Structures are given as structure tokens and as C-alpha cells.
Amino acid sequence: MLGTAAALGAGMLLTPMASAADKWGPGFLIPDADGHAGMSHLGAYGPPGKKIPGIDGPAYCADPTLAGPEASGGYGPVKEYSSWTSATGKPTAQADITRAAYVISKYGQTQDDEQAAAVDAATYTLLEAGSTYALPDGKRAVQRLAAAGVPAAAKTRALAYVDEAKKFAGPYKVSLKTQNSAKPGEKVKVTLDVTAASGAKVPGVKVNLTATGAGSGTAQVTTGTDGTATTSIIAGKDGDATVKAAAKDLPGTTLRAATPSNTKAQRMLLLGGTSSAEAQASVKIADLAGGIKVAKTAAYTGKPLANVEFEVKDHNGKVVAKGKTDAEGIWQVKDLAPGEYTVHETRAVEGYQLAPDQTVTVVSGKAADIAVKDTKIPAPETPKPRPVDIPVLPKTGA
């Protein structure tokens, strides 16, 4: 970042090793590109150093070939930029815009000289890719970070910020997974992750979870080192539950910049940009279906009886299933909601009586077994002959 002798003031005694935090902001005073000591600033501008007219808080210079903010004549309102063109007219790649926004958003708020210097260098590297101000090999980039008084760790951190941004910069996406169904009262497992534009899963992201509808509960989870998090909600009454996941304080994906009145001065990049991502999933909550298994046998022999016809009625008397036993004397009904049912035999095997109705309770996820026995229709009794007494009539006449 370039300064001017006039702006620094005549007679000011600053050595190349002096920190700029007491005057311009966190960072270091360094020689300019022509070697003039103390004529450039590596780091952030603004409080607790010098406040920039029109800008509150710290900010970073965006155009390394232009004059510093002290020559701005004041700055206009802050605007967000999803596209960017350098002062030389070269457009910046979209991915590098979001990466620069990531670095400033995540690391720009600092009073640490070394960190501010690293953010400054990383920002130029991303917005001025391929230029002399871009690490790792840009002549001026190396020169700035190698100036007397600038710790070697500043360059290491700047390169680390660039690499991190390439992996973890947005836009972001939340992926949310739940089981498709559950029964009331059951814990529903929720697994989520937050992915960056690169596809990498982002660690350390706080995500708020809310369950509405047939589910209930709120939670806040933080993605672990693998970029994922797991929690659970409680399934409530029958119906659909909606689980929403919201990550609201992710690093920014656009640049926040102010333009100077003097177009020969640098634009300033400001802090405060954040982004968000959301996702939702649905869970069907209902008691698991049960069933009834009827085993039909002859009462006296235990022999299975085939082709015996049945129907099942619910508690309102409505017929919900019909069928007949197979060769093994078995008839099964599936997909019945939990509750009370009546098993009614409608047609018996020839020669057998209809069995009396049976009431059965179906529970969630199980089949209720009932045994039905038929007895033969009794054979009609054979009438016994009755003795006939024929009286002998007296003879009359001869």
C-alpha cells in the first residue's frame, strides 16, 4: 500500500522497522516500491490508528498501484461487489473474489500487526493474481513481506490464508440427512455437513436446527474436524415433521468496498461481510403398521383347514380386509394401523360350523397371532323306531 511524503508529514521520524499501529492501523511501515523508507503500509488502516474519512473501523487497500487512503479526499458509501476489476482494468476471477472475501471476513478484524499484514498480502495475491503483488513469487509481494521489521511468519500466514480460502471459501451449501420415517416418541437422527465451493466440508461451523410440524426440538451443533455434525429430534404426533438447518455466520462471499472521491487513490475493502446457507428435510411420523396372522384348524383333529373365508373389521365395524386360508390353514393381513380389530369368519369348510368372532389388538410393527378352530356340524340324530301296539278286534258274526 503506497503512502505519500506529504501525508506522512514533514519532519516525522519513523524508521523502517517501526510499527504503523500507532498511526495508520495494525501492520508495519515499510519502504515503497522505490525504496523510500516508511512510505508504504503493510496491514490494515483505521482505528486504533488513523481513521479514514467516511469509513468506520479497519479496512484494507484494494489497489496497490494507486495512492493510499490519505489521498482519497473521503470515501463514499460502502457497497457490495460480486464482480471486481483491478485498477489496471484486469477482471478478477469469480473464485478469487469469494476467496478474498473469505480472508477479510474471517481474519481482517484484528489488532495484531502480523495478522493484519498477512491479510493485506493475501488479499493482493487473490485480487491481483499474476501481478508483482501476488504471492508466492511476485517481486513486490516478496519485497513487502521481507522488509525490515516484518516477521517472516507474516508471509507464512499469508500463504496459509490463501490456501485455506481456496479450500473453504463459499458459496456454501448445507446438506441435511434424516431417516425417512419414525414413530411417535422416537429419536430421529439428524446428520449434516456444510460444504464450500471447492466441495470440501467446512469444520467449526455453527448450525441452528429447528423441527416443526409433527416433530419438535431446537438445537445448535458445530461441525467437527471432518466438517459434519450429528444430533437428534423427538418425533411427536402422527404427521410430517420438517427439520430445518441454518448456518448464518459463514464468511462473506462478496467484497464490501468504498470508493474514494479522488479516483487516483485506492478503494478500501471493509470487514463485516457474512453469508448463510440453509437446508431442510422431511420425516414421516406414524406408528409402524402391524398385522394379523390367522391359523385355522379343525377343533378335534388339529388338521389345517384351507379355503376358510374371513374378514377383518376395525373398531367402527368397517371391513378393512378380506381373504381365505391357504393350504396350511394360514391367512395373513398386513399394513394395519395399531388398534383393535375383529376377526370374523364368513364361510367355513363344508361340514364345519362358523367360528365365533375374536377381538385382537394390533400393536406397532408386529403381527398378532390368533388361532381359530372350527368344529364339525353335528350329524342329525337318527330317529328310533317306536313300538306299535295294534289292538285285536273281536270277531262278529259267522
Side-chain angles (χ1 to χ4, degrees):
M1 302 173 189
L2 302 179
T4 63
L8 290 173
M12 183 175 288
L13 299 176
L14 288 172
T15 69
M17 296 181 63
S19 169
D22 60 339
K23 178 65 178 177
W24 302 110
F28 304 92
L29 285 178
I30 61 173
D32 63 16
D34 296 323
H36 300 122
M39 293 294 103
S40 187
H41 179 63
L42 174 63
Y45 278 79
K50 183 177 180 180
K51 185 178 183 300
I52 303 170
I55 294 179
D56 292 325
Y60 292 83
C61 289
D63 305 302
T65 59
L66 301 181
E70 64 277 8
S72 67
Y75 283 85
V78 177
K79 297 181 180 180
E80 290 197 10
Y81 296 85
S82 57
S83 61
W84 191 261
T85 301
S86 73
T88 61
K90 181 181 178 181
T92 301
Q94 187 63 47
D96 284 335
I97 294 172
T98 58
R99 290 164 184 169
Y102 175 92
V103 173
I104 295 173
S105 177
K106 187 169 183 179
Y107 296 108
Q109 181 67 59
T110 180
Q111 296 304 320
D112 180 84
D113 294 339
E114 182 184 301
Q115 182 170 323
V119 171
D120 185 1
T123 300
Y124 277 176
T125 297
L126 292 164
L127 296 184
E128 302 285 336
S131 76
T132 187
Y133 284 87
L135 293 170
D137 302 319
K139 180 179 179 181
R140 179 58 179 155
V142 173
Q143 187 182 60
R144 295 172 79 222
L145 288 164
V150 178
K155 180 179 180 181
T156 302
R157 289 176 74 167
L159 290 170
Y161 290 163
V162 171
D163 288 342
E164 181 181 327
K166 289 179 179 179
K167 186 175 182 180
F168 292 130
Y172 299 96
K173 177 182 178 182
V174 175
S175 296
L176 182 65
K177 295 180 181 178
T178 66
Q179 60 199 68
N180 294 326
S181 61
K183 59 183 180 180
E186 182 181 353
K187 281 188 176 182
V188 179
K189 183 179 179 180
V190 179
T191 302
L192 62 86
D193 61 60
V194 180
T195 54
S198 67
K201 295 179 180 179
V202 186
V205 178
K206 292 181 179 179
V207 182
N208 294 316
L209 287 162
T210 305
T212 57
S216 63
T218 60
Q220 184 182 80
V221 295
T222 302
T223 57
T225 54
D226 62 350
T228 67
T230 301
T231 187
S232 63
I233 64 168
I234 302 299
K237 59 186 180 180
D238 288 0
D240 292 325
T242 299
V243 183
K244 295 183 179 180
K248 295 184 177 180
D249 295 316
L250 293 163
T253 58
T254 58
L255 297 173
R256 300 180 71 249
T259 301
S261 298
N262 177 11
T263 58
K264 293 183 179 181
Q266 300 202 40
R267 292 169 290 182
M268 298 300 293
L269 298 170
L270 281 81
L271 314 180
T274 61
S275 64
S276 62
E278 297 182 350
Q280 69 178 45
S282 295
V283 183
K284 183 72 175 179
I285 298 175
D287 281 318
L288 300 179
I292 298 173
K293 180 181 179 181
V294 176
K296 182 68 175 176
T297 58
Y300 298 117
T301 66
K303 178 183 177 181
L305 296 177
N307 297 315
V308 179
E309 296 180 4
F310 289 91
E311 62 185 19
V312 174
K313 299 178 182 180
D314 65 14
H315 67 283
N316 293 317
K318 179 182 177 181
V319 176
V320 295
K322 292 182 178 182
K324 60 184 178 180
T325 57
D326 59 19
E328 301 299 323
I330 302 299
W331 178 57
Q332 295 190 72
V333 184
K334 298 180 180 179
D335 297 325
L336 293 177
E340 283 197 351
Y341 294 88
T342 300
V343 177
H344 174 66
E345 187 174 320
T346 59
R347 183 176 180 275
V349 174
E350 186 176 352
Y352 285 82
Q353 298 180 20
L354 291 173
D357 289 352
Q358 291 193 47
T359 300
V360 60
T361 300
V362 174
V363 298
S364 178
K366 295 183 179 180
D369 293 328
I370 65 169
V372 181
K373 296 181 179 181
D374 276 0
T375 57
K376 286 187 176 183
I377 298 173
E381 292 185 4
T382 303
K384 295 180 179 180
R386 292 181 297 172
V388 177
D389 187 13
I390 302 175
V392 178
L393 298 175
K395 294 180 180 180
T396 59

